[in-house]
Amino acid sequence: MIARRALLCSASVLALPAVVRAQALFTRPVRFVLGFAAGGAGDITVRMLVPHMQAEIGQPIVVDNRPGAGGIISAEAVARAAPDGHTMYLLTTSNMAAPAFYRSMPFDVTRDFAPVGRMVWYDHVIAVNPQLPVNTLTELIAYAKARPGTLNIGSIAVGNAQHLGVELFRAMAGAPMTTVTYRSSPELITALSTGEIQVAGELLAPALPQVQAGRVKLLAVTAPTRFPTLPDVLTSAESGMPDYIVRSWNAIVFPANTPRPQIEAMNRAIRRALGVPEIRNRLIELGGLPEASSPEELGAMIPNEVAAWGRMAQLAGIEKQ
């Protein structure tokens, strides 16, 4: 009789709507840790999606910006957190690139996290200050070679995907420019727009406002195809660098061993948020391409991305610290 009641109880829970089941899984606010300062592409994306994700799980989601060391410090904190579904991390391409920069990592990105789902792809761009008299990558490379050491190319912190993208560009182009790093995307784009640096490699998203204001000029997107809202901006392949393809993405992970029901519930929360037409359109306007994935797809993607960024680091001549 007791077993029969248990079965009936389980059946009744499974019969509840997915939203109700999700709300039963989360009993307090969920901390959402980001490994970078406010104002960047990932931060903007998260703050757009969080209200819709909260509605799915029935609890507040508190964004916790913890910049430093290319996301290593924040990622380690989440990897060591209790696997109870109430701490999650915004995994980014920078986490894939970090093992290429450091001999020792305090966590294993393929082992210490439970994949939840990818959210958005971000194209990288090569951009210049409008006062620089170049309009294409070919012209930029020729200009730099004719004036060795006179151009500064900016990126955000060492160990970041943007930084590796910049070093790969310098190596593949043979362009004698000096790399200057900044703590955050807003600082980098401001430096470019004011002429403190002449060139930058960055995600499209944080650069767009200054591009639209005419204070930054895009030379190329480093993706396989042109960005939908920028049909006149060439790809790197169309600009004479067919092998220079650099894209970023972000996703959500929990600490390893988080229960499967909470993983599935948060994956539904991602899909709910990305399914809102206004959110999708706004992300594209801001330079992102929304594309949700299953936990399994993200889990298969992570080791492949770590290997790919490792190969890029070798091509760029990066020596591990």
Side-chain angles (χ1 to χ4, degrees):
M1 186 60 148
I2 293 174
R4 178 177 173 80
R5 286 178 181 172
L7 287 172
L8 289 173
C9 182
S10 298
S12 64
V13 170
L14 291 173
L16 292 172
V19 171
V20 176
R21 295 202 304 273
Q23 292 175 352
L25 294 169
F26 299 94
T27 58
R28 63 182 187 276
V30 174
R31 186 166 62 106
F32 195 171
V33 179
L34 280 60
F36 36 78
D43 179 76
I44 293 168
T45 298
V46 163
R47 294 180 188 276
M48 289 175 56
L49 299 185
V50 156
H52 300 276
M53 296 174 68
Q54 290 176 157
E56 177 73 23
I57 69 169
Q59 288 288 343
I61 296 176
V62 181
V63 178
D64 182 5
N65 295 89
R66 302 183 64 177
I72 292 176
I73 296 172
S74 55
E76 181 184 10
V78 175
R80 296 178 183 275
D84 59 9
H86 291 84
T87 303
M88 61 187 186
Y89 184 67
L90 188 73
L91 193 73
T92 71
T93 315
S94 292
N95 300 116
M96 307 297 101
F101 284 92
Y102 302 105
R103 292 189 179 90
S104 177
M105 292 283 290
F107 59 89
D108 185 330
V109 72
T110 64
R111 182 194 64 210
D112 294 335
F113 297 104
V116 175
R118 189 182 58 243
M119 297 190 295
V120 184
W121 288 94
Y122 292 103
D123 289 355
H124 288 224
V125 295
I126 298 297
V128 297
N129 181 281
Q131 299 303 312
L132 197 68
V134 300
N135 293 299
T136 66
L137 286 188
T138 302
E139 291 178 3
L140 171 62
I141 293 167
Y143 188 93
K145 288 181 176 179
R147 300 163 182 80
T150 62
L151 295 185
N152 292 326
I153 181 168
S155 78
I156 60 174
V158 173
N160 192 285
Q162 288 95 308
H163 177 237
L164 181 49
V166 163
E167 295 306 305
L168 183 62
F169 173 72
R170 289 179 57 217
M172 294 180 70
M177 295 184 280
T178 302
T179 301
V180 180
T181 59
Y182 293 84
R183 291 185 66 252
S184 68
S185 295
E187 290 178 9
L188 169 64
I189 298 303
T190 297
L192 181 63
S193 66
T194 60
E196 182 177 307
I197 55 175
Q198 299 78 42
V199 190
E202 177 55 294
L203 303 182
L204 170 60
L208 264 180
Q210 296 284 30
V211 171
Q212 293 161 346
R215 291 189 284 269
V216 167
K217 180 167 60 177
L218 298 183
L219 299 188
V221 294
T222 65
T225 59
R226 299 189 190 190
F227 195 78
T229 60
L230 298 169
D232 296 331
V233 179
L234 301 180
T235 66
S236 46
E238 293 172 322
S239 304
M241 297 185 69
D243 296 325
Y244 183 62
I245 305 295
V246 183
R247 299 181 80 196
S248 285
W249 48 269
N250 61 31
I252 290 176
V253 293
F254 282 130
N257 300 316
T258 296
R260 180 70 185 187
Q262 286 163 308
I263 292 172
E264 292 175 348
M266 195 60 74
N267 185 271
R268 288 193 298 270
I270 294 172
R271 293 179 185 276
R272 173 174 178 159
L274 292 180
V276 177
E278 293 82 1
I279 294 292
R280 295 185 64 84
N281 293 338
R282 184 59 179 151
L283 284 171
I284 293 171
E285 288 174 3
L286 292 172
L289 294 170
E291 185 181 87
S293 78
S294 68
E296 291 74 23
E297 289 168 334
L298 177 59
M301 182 180 180
I302 289 171
N304 291 336
E305 285 283 293
V306 170
W309 284 89
R311 290 191 294 272
M312 282 194 274
Q314 289 181 335
L315 288 172
I318 299 294
E319 294 186 8
K320 291 188 177 185
Q321 300 177 14

